[in-house]
């Protein structure tokens, strides 16, 4: 008997070739993943070819943008814009 008997179907290294909503997190912290093994809730209709596509479809309207901001290439919505005012005083000789 084998220590690790073969599975009924091959499993890839590094994750599935599609992305799905990570149901282990709440809505405001939610992200997408391609982790294996798949959770029981994943159906073909809930899978996406890219992580960004998954975020936009599964978390559209997410106020925190947690999913989009978890991407390797983040959209501009993930960067905080700050306005800074600089005052310079120059004392010139008279």
């Amino acid at each position: 008997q084998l220590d690790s008997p073969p599975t009924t179907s091959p499993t890839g290294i590094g994750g599935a070739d599609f992305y799905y909503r990570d149901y282990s997190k709440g809505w405001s912290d939610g992200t997408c993943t391609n982790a294996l093994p798949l959770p029981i809730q994943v159906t073909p209709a809930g899978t996406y070819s890219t992580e960004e596509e998954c975020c936009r479809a599964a978390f559209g309207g997410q106020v925190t943008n947690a999913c989009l901001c978890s991407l390797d290439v983040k959209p501009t919505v993930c960067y905080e814009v700050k306005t800074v005012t600089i005052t310079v005083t120059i004392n010139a000789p008279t």
Side-chain angles (χ1 to χ4, degrees):
Q1 179 156 354
L2 298 172
D3 290 337
S4 298
T7 60
T8 56
S9 60
T11 56
I13 296 175
D17 60 353
F18 56 86
Y19 290 85
Y20 58 92
R21 178 180 171 180
D22 182 353
Y23 287 93
S24 70
K25 300 176 182 177
W27 172 260
S28 62
D29 297 325
T31 58
C32 291
T33 185
N34 67 342
L36 294 172
L38 297 176
I40 203 164
Q41 300 100 323
V42 175
T43 62
T47 61
Y48 307 92
S49 58
T50 68
E51 191 174 10
E52 181 178 2
E53 180 185 358
C54 177
C55 285
R56 293 193 184 282
F59 293 100
Q62 186 184 47
V63 175
T64 61
N65 291 309
C67 193
L68 289 173
C69 294
S70 73
L71 300 173
D72 289 336
V73 178
K74 296 169 183 19
T76 55
V77 71
C78 299
Y79 299 99
E80 186 176 340
V81 177
K82 293 188 176 190
T83 303
V84 178
T85 302
I86 300 173
T87 304
V88 178
T89 303
I90 300 175
N91 294 322
T94 56

